[in-house]
């Protein structure tokens, strides 16, 4: 099968810091990939390169057959790739409903009625239809993150990127977000998730990737990586988080 | 939460009603009260001491209109200049950024009065001279209307300040907001229009309101460049009648009415803009 995401030899520098050192990675349609690794290992940077929120200095990325080169291609890719952020990043001046409607209206050119119908279905799906008219500040972190997921899903993305989606949440709110993500994984969504949630990784991931110092150190099924790590770097990292 | 309970926190209405000024609606009344007190004072002066106050008012009335028109028209243009300048100041293009920075730095370093005098007294002869040199009749006969040159001067001068206000507003919007918008496929323009500028506007609304009130007061400087505004009309009345005290008391009160009213409108707008905060 053609990979839906093809990352070839990506290098990224932040000034003097060599943040990604030649990362290559193919992701198949429907695959759920969890990226773990110590902070500063480049895992978020890699994720942000996939929709070109981060520019890279060398290498190529192709998403769903579209190379990330021209501005038009980058925008085309972004409409097919949903992204969920650690800090939710809901538009604070808009209601929940308006947040989910915005890109549907501007990019997908749906009518207002259609946008609202789709948004309400998605809010139903993430379990908070009653919050449609609330503003982000009035929601808990877990609720905000679920709205952020609904907002991304409203574009009918083929791929969802999650950048530490539960790291800014109180412990009791993590489950409600992971449940939504688990449902998505079961439905066959292609997902790339930067997260240290081992339970989620075991339940949903097809592949776990460990990054360190800007490189992929080890990858394999959750069972392989968590139970039988081959590299010392992996063992060291797992000993810190388990 | 509605706006009332947000402003007042969770304190019960019963307690709030016992503290003067604690309820938002009380606060609104208090400041409108000052506005109406000044209006009342002017009315009393004009009704009970028609000589000289009604004479002064009649004389300067057209000046009030000029002051309001010059201020409002300039302000609208200032907002346009500030918006474009602010966007240019935060643009990716380095030359555009540098050009706007140059404009801001130069204009901010020259007194507004000097700028106004330059536009009205220095620029037209220069253009006429250029017209003579090149034998272009349109330039030779260049004799601009003082009100238009005053508006040009105020716009260029205040546009520089407004550019800085808008720039600060744009930069106050967290980066994640733009990233979220762009990751949904919105173009830079769409992200600016629908996400960044509305949030920036909410942040800088007090500053914009402040600029308006300052502009209203600084519009008195145009009296020096042949514009018959409130200040100039006051001066004309004084030199005709030699009753400076009453004249300037009334002129000051009239300015105060305008600024207090503007401040109330700004404050009302700010409350309306606080939604989602």
């Amino acid at each position: 099968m053609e990979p839906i995401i093809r990352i070839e030899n990506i290098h990224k520098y932040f000034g003097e810091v060599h943040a990604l050192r030649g990362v290559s990675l193919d992701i198949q349609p429907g695959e759920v990939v969890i990226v773990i690794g110590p902070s500063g290992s480049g895992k978020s940077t890699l994720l942000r390169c996939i929709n070109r929120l981060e520019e890279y200095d060398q290498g190529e990325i192709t998403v769903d057959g579209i190379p990330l080169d021209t501005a038009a291609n980058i925008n085309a890719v972004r409409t097919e790739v949903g992204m969920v952020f650690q800090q939710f990043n809901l538009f604070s001046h808009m209601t929940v409903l308006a947040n989910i409607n915005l890109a549907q209206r501007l990019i997908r050119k749906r009518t207002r009625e259609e946008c609202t119908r789709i948004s309400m279905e998605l809010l139903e799906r993430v379990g908070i239809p009653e919050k449609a008219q609330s503003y982000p500040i009035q929601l808990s972190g877990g609720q905000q993150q679920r709205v952020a997921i609904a907002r991304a899903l409203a574009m009918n993305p083929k791929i969802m990127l999650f950048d530490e989606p539960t790291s800014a949440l109180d412990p009791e709110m993590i489950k409600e977000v992971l449940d939504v993500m688990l449902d998505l994984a079961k439905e066959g969504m292609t997902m790339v998730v930067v997260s240290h949630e081992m339970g989620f990784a075991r339940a949903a991931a097809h592949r776990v990737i460990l990054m360190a110092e800007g490189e992929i150190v080890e990858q394999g099924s959750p069972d392989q990586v968590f139970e039988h790590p081959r590299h010392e770097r992996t063992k060291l990292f797992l000993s810190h988080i388990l | 939460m509605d706006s009332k309970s947000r402003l007042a926190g969770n304190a019960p209405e019963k307690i709030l009603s016992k503290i003067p000024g604690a309820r938002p609606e009380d606060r609104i009344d208090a400041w409108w009260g000052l506005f109406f007190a000044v209006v009342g004072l002017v009315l009393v002066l004009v009704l009970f001491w028609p000589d000289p106050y009604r004479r002064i008012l009649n004389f300067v009335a057209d000046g009030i209109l000029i002051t309001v028109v010059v201020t409002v028209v300039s302000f609208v243009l200032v907002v346009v200049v500030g918006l474009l300048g602010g966007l240019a100041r935060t643009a990716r293009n380095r030359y555009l950024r540098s050009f706007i920075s140059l404009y801001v730095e130069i204009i901010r370093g020259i007194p507004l009065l000097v700028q106004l005098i330059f536009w009205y007294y220095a620029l037209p002869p220069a253009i006429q001279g250029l017209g003579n040199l090149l034998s272009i009749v349109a330039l030779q006969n260049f004799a601009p209307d003082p009100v238009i040159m005053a508006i040009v001067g105020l716009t260029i001068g205040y546009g520089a300040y407004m550019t800085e206000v808008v720039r600060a507003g744009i930069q106050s919007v967290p980066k994640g907001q733009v990233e979220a918008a762009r990751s949904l496929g919105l173009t830079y323009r769409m992200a600016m229009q629908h996400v960044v500028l509305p949030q920036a506007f909410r942040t800088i609304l007090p500053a914009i309101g402040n600029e308006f009130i300052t502009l209203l007061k600084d519009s008195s400087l145009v009296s020096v460049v042949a514009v018959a505004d409130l200040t100039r009309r006051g001066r004309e009345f004084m030199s005709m009648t030699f009753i400076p005290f009453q004249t300037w008391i009334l002129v000051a009160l009239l300015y105060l009415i305008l600024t207090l009213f503007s401040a109330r409108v700004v404050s009302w707008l700010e409350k309306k803009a606080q939604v989602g905060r």
Side-chain angles (χ1 to χ4, degrees):
Chain A
M1 206 167 12
E2 257 315 277
I4 193 163
I5 303 173
R6 166 158 273 168
I7 300 170
E8 287 168 284
N9 195 29
I10 290 296
H11 286 267
K12 166 76 184 174
Y13 294 85
F14 289 109
E16 294 293 301
V17 181
H18 199 170
L20 293 176
R21 299 164 182 256
V23 176
S24 295
L25 179 66
D26 281 354
I27 293 169
Q28 303 299 325
E31 199 177 7
V32 177
V33 175
I34 310 284
V35 185
I36 59 174
S39 66
S41 61
K43 51 195 193 309
S44 285
T45 307
L46 177 67
L47 191 77
R48 290 159 57 85
C49 282
I50 296 176
N51 66 353
R52 197 70 188 244
L53 276 188
E54 208 73 73
E55 289 185 15
Y56 41 88
D57 298 298
Q58 199 188 316
E60 274 173 37
I61 297 181
T62 310
V63 179
D64 198 23
I66 307 171
L68 284 176
D69 43 20
T70 64
N73 277 353
I74 290 169
N75 257 353
V77 164
R78 284 175 178 164
T79 62
E80 305 299 333
V81 179
M83 183 148 190
V84 175
F85 300 85
Q86 183 178 355
Q87 297 297 337
F88 330 129
N89 293 345
L90 294 181
F91 305 135
S92 60
H93 62 303
M94 295 180 177
T95 62
V96 163
L97 186 64
N99 261 275
I100 309 177
N101 281 357
L102 183 68
Q104 297 187 64
R105 218 178 65 229
L106 293 177
I107 309 293
R108 292 282 185 251
K109 311 282 182 204
R110 292 170 186 153
T111 64
R112 193 171 290 272
E113 291 73 30
E114 205 183 351
C115 291
T116 301
R117 182 179 58 74
I118 293 169
S119 300
M120 288 312 296
E121 275 172 24
L122 286 165
L123 281 176
E124 203 77 57
R125 185 164 154 193
V126 299
I128 38 174
E130 74 280 3
K131 297 294 184 188
Q133 298 304 332
S134 302
Y135 283 87
I137 197 175
Q138 299 163 329
L139 305 184
S140 72
Q143 290 169 335
Q144 288 193 52
Q145 195 60 300
R146 284 186 281 162
V147 172
I149 295 173
R151 180 174 68 178
L153 290 178
M155 295 292 285
N156 307 105
K158 293 178 178 162
I159 300 162
M160 286 285 284
L161 308 175
F162 293 86
D163 189 4
E164 308 209 24
T166 56
S167 299
L169 295 178
D170 292 335
E172 67 266 32
M173 289 167 188
I174 291 176
K175 188 177 175 301
E176 64 189 48
V177 171
L178 290 181
D179 284 346
V180 172
M181 290 169 62
L182 211 54
D183 282 344
L184 264 181
K186 278 184 193 145
E187 288 163 22
M189 175 68 77
T190 308
M191 292 164 67
V192 185
V193 185
V194 172
S195 172
H196 294 156
E197 293 295 335
M198 292 301 149
F200 176 75
R202 280 179 215 279
H206 299 109
R207 188 153 41 133
V208 174
I209 291 175
L210 183 116
M211 286 187 72
E213 282 98 43
E215 287 173 318
I216 294 179
V217 174
E218 179 158 0
Q219 52 179 313
S221 70
D223 193 50
Q224 262 169 18
V225 174
F226 294 149
E227 307 304 334
H228 312 287
R230 281 168 294 170
H231 294 265
E232 283 307 313
R233 191 70 189 82
T234 314
K235 286 175 195 165
L236 178 70
F237 178 70
L238 290 174
S239 73
H240 286 313
I241 62 166
L242 287 180
Chain B
M1 255 192 301
D2 60 38
S3 62
K4 201 168 106 183
S5 56
R6 185 170 49 247
L7 282 167
N10 292 322
E13 192 67 12
K14 225 180 191 173
I15 298 174
L16 284 176
S17 63
K18 288 185 182 144
I19 310 168
R23 289 180 305 184
E25 55 267 40
D26 292 347
R27 258 174 284 167
I28 292 163
D29 285 346
W31 288 110
W32 276 113
L34 178 60
F35 168 73
F36 285 119
V38 177
V39 172
L41 179 57
V42 169
L43 282 179
V44 167
L45 290 176
V46 169
L47 290 177
F48 293 98
W49 289 275
D51 188 32
Y53 291 109
R54 192 177 297 174
R55 279 172 59 210
I56 301 171
L57 185 64
N58 284 338
F59 190 85
V60 302
D62 51 356
I64 299 174
L65 186 67
I66 295 285
T67 287
V68 169
V69 167
V70 166
T71 303
V72 170
V73 173
S74 301
F75 184 71
V76 170
L77 295 173
V78 163
V79 169
V80 173
V81 170
L83 186 62
L84 294 176
L87 284 170
R89 202 85 150 92
T90 54
R92 277 194 165 194
N93 188 318
R94 195 151 46 92
Y95 299 104
L96 194 58
R97 269 200 330 255
S98 311
F99 175 73
I100 295 299
S101 304
L102 187 67
Y103 157 66
V104 170
E105 293 304 326
I106 288 176
I107 294 299
R108 278 201 305 196
I110 300 169
L112 187 58
L113 183 56
V114 173
Q115 292 180 42
L116 289 170
I117 291 172
F118 176 86
W119 295 120
Y120 183 66
Y121 290 109
L123 186 72
I127 289 183
Q128 288 155 14
L130 191 71
N132 288 336
L133 202 68
L134 304 173
S135 307
I136 300 172
V137 180
L139 294 186
Q140 284 169 339
N141 297 332
F142 182 70
D145 182 75
V147 172
I148 288 177
M149 289 318 273
I151 288 172
V152 167
L154 289 175
T155 301
I156 291 173
Y158 265 75
Y161 292 100
M162 194 61 90
T163 293
E164 284 303 274
V165 169
V166 174
R167 177 189 61 79
I170 289 173
Q171 287 174 345
S172 78
V173 178
K175 210 166 147 249
Q177 296 281 310
V178 182
E179 290 188 345
R182 297 308 300 271
S183 76
L184 285 164
L186 271 65
T187 60
Y188 175 81
R189 234 202 78 165
M190 289 174 179
M192 275 290 161
Q193 186 186 340
H194 295 279
V195 176
V196 176
L197 287 178
Q199 292 185 38
F201 179 70
R202 200 171 57 175
T203 307
I204 63 178
L205 191 60
I208 293 179
N210 195 40
E211 291 286 300
F212 179 81
I213 292 163
T214 315
L215 176 62
L216 178 60
K217 291 183 289 178
D218 276 356
S219 76
S220 64
L221 292 173
V222 305
S223 63
V224 178
V225 287
V227 176
D229 76 326
L230 177 53
T231 303
R232 191 182 181 92
R233 294 298 278 164
R235 236 170 46 199
E236 286 169 3
F237 189 82
M238 176 181 69
S239 52
M240 269 168 42
T241 59
F242 301 105
I243 41 175
F245 185 78
Q246 290 89 335
T247 306
W248 292 107
I249 283 286
L250 191 68
V251 167
L253 287 173
L254 289 171
Y255 271 115
L256 199 52
I257 288 174
L258 294 176
T259 52
L260 286 174
F261 179 75
S262 309
R264 286 308 86 217
V265 172
V266 169
S267 151
W268 176 75
L269 284 173
E270 273 172 42
K271 286 206 176 71
K272 295 211 40 144
Q274 286 312 305
V275 69
R277 277 227 153 154

